[in-house]
Amino acid sequence: SAMRPGALVQAGTGIVCLDELDQMQEPVQSSMREAMEFQSISVAKAGIVTKLIVGCSVLAAWSLPTALKRSASGEFAGELPTSPLLDCFDAVTVVEEDLQGDAKLAAHLVALTRGSVQMRRPSSMSPSAAATSEQLIGLVRLARARTPELSGAASEALSGRYLELRRLRAGASPKTLESMVRLSQAAARAELEDEVGADHVDKVVELLRDSYLPARRFREDQRLWEKRKRPRF
């Protein structure tokens, strides 16, 4: 008998992209929850009992049963999906309908079919500032090699924001704090920093606020944000 690892194990420390996550059967979703929460998958098959290490990141698409629209207050109207598996993701964002974005996506897919895809730089970027594919890959490798440490200011900012959510009964849990720490480290890594600062925490909290999570788990009072300058992410 042979045991072959699945995509999450084979991906190593890379990334796994999944479509129609909601269509996966419950046993598969259960294994994914274990992998995302404990970074391992338990296997008991053909007389083999072991755990396989999982170190990849997961990017997944979940189909919504009905269209959701933002209300004037910025929250989504309608029922949002709930699932233990969704709670394992650090950030969940609703991709809203955008005709201009659809046109760009259609043009890109047609270009892929024709084999004529080319990297384009923004019109505001000078030719000397544009990065080649090789340079971009090199920057990503540099970023992935870093392990930013939390500074004292970042630790205070994370604790303060988490306690704010708890006081407001916004549904924040220890998982929420763990997500905020990981995303703050990712923000610092993207800037090739060796230390996580309070500004990185602000960027992450703003990111979570703009995702669909505020509508379900981060319904905090708007006055907490009125005096803050919205950071760019």
Side-chain angles (χ1 to χ4, degrees), residues 136-215:
L136 183 58
I137 291 173
L139 288 173
V140 171
R141 286 176 176 169
L142 281 175
R144 287 174 59 87
R146 294 179 181 269
T147 308
E149 299 291 337
L150 291 178
S151 65
S155 299
E156 292 181 5
L158 284 166
S159 299
R161 288 311 191 93
Y162 176 67
L163 292 177
E164 285 177 359
L165 295 174
R166 293 289 294 175
R167 283 195 297 267
L168 290 168
R169 301 183 183 276
S173 67
K175 280 187 179 181
T176 304
L177 181 57
E178 291 176 354
S179 295
M180 292 169 65
V181 171
R182 283 192 293 267
L183 291 172
S184 297
Q185 290 175 322
R189 191 178 294 116
E191 296 179 1
L192 301 180
E193 297 285 351
D194 292 321
E195 188 175 68
V196 180
D199 58 324
H200 297 125
V201 177
D202 286 339
K203 292 175 182 179
V204 165
V205 174
E206 192 71 15
L207 173 68
L208 293 176
R209 176 177 177 263
D210 287 340
S211 74
Y212 102 47
L213 291 178

